[in-house]
Amino acid sequence: MAGRHLKEMFAAFHRHDELAFRRAAMEVIEEEQGKHHYALARDLQRLLAAGGGATLDSGDVLVLPDPPMDRDGDWSLAAVRAPQVDLAQLIVQPKVSRVLDQVAAEVPRWSELDRHAVPRRQRFLFQGPPGCGKTTAAEALASELGRPFVLVRIDAVVSSYLGETASNLRRVLDFANQAPFVVLFDEFDSLGRGRDDAAEHGEMKRVVTAFLQMIDQYRGPSVLIAATNHPGLLDTALWRRFDEVVTFDRPSVHDIRRLLRHRLRSVPHSAVNIDETASRLKGLPHAAVEKVVWDARRTAVLAGRDKVGSADMAEAVIGVRSRPW
Ligand SMILES: Nc1ncnc2c1ncn2[C@@H]1O[C@H](COP(=O)(O)OP(=O)(O)OP(=O)(O)O)[C@@H](O)[C@H]1O
Ligand SMILES: [Mg+2]
């Protein structure tokens, strides 16, 4: 382990400089990775995640850094948190899980790619209909990588002051420059939609384009993910600014069955017909499937029953089918 990085870590500890500490710690992790000490690198990464799956005896190792703020310091532009979900909770198509697994394995080895002058995959576009796992996947990726999850608050970033939206985006990216995070610009297509006047469409395109240019030029240590459920709003020529475009589709009946089985694992139940429930949920997003299990569980609990039964599930299915998704 290079003495230089250790000294940086100790100095940062004394200065209470969380970001400098993380930077130096990441260098140590990358170095161990470079020496093919994968198990150690992974353990260190989990510890650095401050609760992201690390088994620690006494609380979190590190305090998370303060979020980036707007010009006047009134609003936080993002929420910074330890990730709470992991990739095992996601039911996605094999092509999606392949990319997510690849990224989880690849990011810790960026320094190796750099040495071989191979471009990193660092900017991702997650697209697809609502409730199919875009936000969850970004958070799970942060958990896999042992990094804090930074959820950009687009509503706070969008400012009615001319030019301030772009400045806010710049502040978020400056923050992402300071330490390795997974940063999600969720529903980023609404960046330019601060005002609902149709004439503002030009302004919206301008802000989104400026955003894409900024992330194109980003060379920092974070993974940047933009998510949208309106891919149509985006000029496809802009897609090449992303290193990877990942499409989250609605689940197949087979996926719905898997998701039901997974979510019912932690719910006592009896005589629930998974196949039948799954076929009745055909066409709905993952979020709806999850809701069925929660709704059925609620009905059972409130009725004083220990177990979810088939009638609870059937009623919950009718409920989710009768609302928009
Ligand atoms: N592929 C999936 N596998 C398992 N659970 C999922 C999946 N997709 C969504 N869910 C569940 O549904 C809920 C909503 O998912 P999420 O917020 O990730 O969807 P989204 O694609 O980001 O939707 P939106 O476009 O509305 O932001 C979460 O609680 C999550 O657990
Ligand atoms: Mg989302």
Side-chain angles (χ1 to χ4, degrees):
M1 197 185 286
R4 182 166 61 87
H5 297 141
L6 275 181
K7 280 187 211 157
E8 276 165 17
M9 282 170 68
F10 277 71
F13 175 77
H14 274 291
R15 290 198 310 274
H16 300 285
D17 186 342
E18 158 78 16
L19 292 172
F21 183 90
R22 280 183 180 278
R23 241 184 344 258
M26 277 317 287
E27 303 271 2
V28 170
I29 292 170
E30 285 182 6
E31 205 175 282
E32 293 304 322
Q33 197 88 43
K35 289 189 224 155
H36 305 288
H37 298 161
Y38 298 121
L40 173 61
R42 200 176 167 81
D43 283 352
L44 291 175
Q45 226 166 49
R46 290 207 176 278
L47 287 168
L48 193 61
T55 39
L56 297 171
D57 294 336
S58 55
D60 291 344
V61 186
L62 290 170
V63 185
L64 292 166
D66 290 333
M69 304 296 284
D70 73 343
R71 184 180 55 184
D72 303 324
D74 291 336
W75 301 100
S76 58
L77 300 173
V80 183
R81 61 175 197 236
Q84 307 293 328
V85 291
D86 52 54
L87 284 178
Q89 292 171 38
L90 269 185
I91 306 289
V92 284
Q93 292 176 330
K95 65 174 180 19
V96 175
S97 55
R98 204 163 36 241
V99 179
L100 296 174
D101 290 342
Q102 278 173 359
V103 176
E106 204 171 289
V107 172
R109 301 179 63 186
W110 273 353
S111 54
E112 257 175 277
L113 293 178
D114 294 350
R115 273 202 301 283
H116 292 88
V118 177
R120 304 166 169 191
R121 287 192 291 183
Q122 184 159 18
R123 286 153 272 263
F124 299 88
L125 173 64
F126 286 2
Q127 60 146 339
C132 295
K134 300 179 294 296
T135 305
T136 311
E139 182 166 352
L141 206 50
S143 166
E144 287 298 309
L145 292 170
R147 296 174 169 209
F149 181 52
V150 177
L151 184 61
V152 179
R153 297 182 44 214
I154 298 291
D155 57 329
V157 165
V158 172
S159 167
S160 47
Y161 295 111
L162 193 66
E164 199 54 22
T165 301
S167 303
N168 283 338
L169 285 169
R170 168 67 44 226
R171 288 184 185 98
V172 172
L173 287 170
D174 285 347
F175 178 81
N177 247 326
Q178 297 179 52
F181 302 114
V182 170
V183 183
L184 176 63
F185 297 86
D186 215 355
E187 298 170 27
F188 84 102
D189 46 86
S190 57
L191 264 176
R193 237 183 284 149
R195 289 138 287 186
D196 46 16
D197 184 356
E200 293 295 341
H201 194 70
E203 161 75 0
M204 169 183 157
K205 281 192 96 160
R206 202 182 56 73
V207 177
V208 172
T209 306
F211 166 69
L212 292 171
Q213 277 164 359
M214 276 186 217
I215 67 163
D216 199 25
Q217 286 155 13
Y218 177 78
R219 295 287 174 270
S222 295
V223 172
L224 306 182
I225 302 173
T228 175
N229 52 33
H230 295 114
L233 292 175
L234 209 60
D235 184 346
T236 46
L238 298 173
W239 288 21
R240 67 179 163 73
R241 297 200 185 270
F242 294 98
D243 302 317
E244 214 66 73
V245 177
V246 186
T247 303
F248 291 75
D249 291 317
R250 288 204 166 186
S252 62
V253 174
H254 172 68
D255 289 339
I256 295 176
R257 269 199 297 269
R258 281 171 63 207
L259 185 54
L260 282 171
R261 269 195 211 101
H262 189 277
R263 296 300 194 264
L264 280 169
R265 247 185 246 162
S266 55
V267 172
H269 61 277
S270 80
V272 170
N273 187 332
I274 302 235
D275 288 348
E276 189 194 316
T277 313
S279 54
R280 298 189 59 211
L281 289 169
K282 187 175 173 193
L284 291 178
H286 299 79
V289 177
E290 198 174 71
K291 184 166 163 48
V292 163
V293 176
W294 285 124
D295 286 354
R297 175 82 175 125
R298 188 180 311 104
T299 307
V301 167
L302 293 177
R305 281 181 275 107
D306 305 339
K307 291 184 176 172
V308 166
S310 59
D312 300 323
M313 291 293 278
E315 189 188 321
V317 168
I318 292 170
V320 304
R321 288 212 70 94
S322 65
R323 52 163 273 180
W325 285 94

